[in-house]
Amino acid sequence: MPVLATRRFPNEALSASTARSFVRTTLHGIPALQIGVAELLTSELVSNAVLHGRAPTEVTVEVHDQIITVSVSDGSSELPVLSEAEGRVGHGRGLPLVAAMSDDWGVTPSDVGKAVWFTLVRNGPGCPASAHATGSDPP
């Protein structure tokens, strides 16, 4: 049975923590390792939306067949850029982390901003060794 839940968050730092809790609650029953990965990646994307995007910030969680998809949208049309995280201190490590720990990720522009999303294969090995950005709609 597909699970779909959406929640809006204020444009403030505390939203990353609140979004993690939302993902944990929504993914109840999924293996703990995958919930932890989904929480971490969601907090990275929500932090990026709060720091670089515009309100509203919205998180959507969907589970369909064996795919978990989490999408974080905001009101900015500026697309994120994946850069090398190695040697960086502070900012700039979120998207490389999403790319490394998800099975797929991408950005979907919209008329009112963008959505940055990632997928995890349900009941899969947890953290894949590699991932890539497709730039297409999530599966």
Side-chain angles (χ1 to χ4, degrees):
M1 171 197 302
V3 173
L4 177 64
T6 301
R7 184 167 168 200
R8 275 196 174 168
F9 295 90
N11 200 16
E12 60 187 38
L14 184 59
S15 291
S17 172
T18 310
R20 287 174 73 106
S21 183
F22 168 67
V23 166
R24 181 173 40 285
T25 300
T26 303
L27 293 178
H28 177 75
I30 302 293
L33 176 62
Q34 289 182 307
I35 291 174
V37 171
E39 285 181 273
L40 174 63
L41 301 184
T42 299
S43 67
E44 291 296 332
L45 294 182
V46 169
S47 293
N48 283 350
V50 168
L51 287 171
H52 308 292
R54 285 192 307 220
T57 298
E58 189 171 88
V59 176
T60 301
V61 179
E62 185 172 1
V63 179
H64 190 282
D65 293 328
Q66 296 300 310
I67 305 294
I68 300 164
T69 303
V70 177
S71 176
V72 177
S73 62
D74 71 74
S76 171
S77 60
E78 186 174 334
L79 301 180
V81 176
L82 179 64
S83 60
E84 290 293 322
E86 190 173 323
R88 286 189 170 230
V89 176
H91 299 294
R93 296 179 146 194
L95 281 180
L97 187 64
V98 171
M101 295 185 74
S102 67
D103 287 295
D104 198 9
W105 76 278
V107 180
T108 305
S110 73
D111 292 340
V112 295
K114 67 178 170 304
V116 182
W117 54 267
F118 65 86
T119 61
L120 300 171
V121 176
R122 188 174 173 188
N123 297 322
C127 303
S130 64
H132 62 282
T134 63
S136 61
D137 290 331

